[in-house]
């Protein structure tokens, strides 16, 4: 995972680089934009995710699994920050 923060916009670009053999890495692109915005006395987190898996027959299932894993990580992070 590579994260590039932009403090002026309170956002980050998160690029996930899978630990896979080289031929497979070229078939998967996973990137998320993570933005924090004020809402009254709270902070709203917005995450826009792009997942592309160029793999016939299983690509959509792999992308859905990756999305689920990312959602779990971001939800766990939010829970920890709220504590």
């Amino acid at each position: 995972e590579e994260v590039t923060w932009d403090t002026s916009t309170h956002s980050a670009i998160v690029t996930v680089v899978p630990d896979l053999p080289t031929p497979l890495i070229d078939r998967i692109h996973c990137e998320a934009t993570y933005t924090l915005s004020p809402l009254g006395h709270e902070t709203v987190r917005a995450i826009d995710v792009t997942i592309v898996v160029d793999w016939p027959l299983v690509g959509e299932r792999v992308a859905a699994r990756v999305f689920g894993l990312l959602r779990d990580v971001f939800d766990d992070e939010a829970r920890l920050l709220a504590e």
Side-chain angles (χ1 to χ4, degrees):
E1 177 178 297
E2 298 170 1
V3 180
T4 305
W5 277 100
D6 182 345
T7 55
S8 66
T9 62
H10 306 286
S11 65
I13 304 244
V14 180
T15 304
V16 178
V17 180
D19 185 20
L20 295 170
T22 302
L24 297 178
I25 288 176
D26 295 338
R27 294 176 171 249
I28 299 174
H29 172 78
C30 181
E31 185 173 280
T33 302
Y34 185 102
T35 306
L36 301 172
S37 304
L39 180 64
H41 296 292
E42 297 184 4
T43 300
V44 174
R45 171 187 66 144
I47 303 169
D48 181 34
V49 178
T50 300
I51 301 171
V52 177
V53 180
D54 181 22
W55 202 338
L57 303 177
V58 297
E60 287 183 25
R61 285 185 281 169
V62 171
R65 178 70 177 136
V66 170
F67 179 80
L69 292 171
L70 282 175
R71 183 188 58 228
D72 292 347
V73 167
F74 287 132
D75 287 348
D76 287 346
E77 180 184 81
R79 253 189 310 280
L80 287 171
L81 290 172
E83 292 179 356

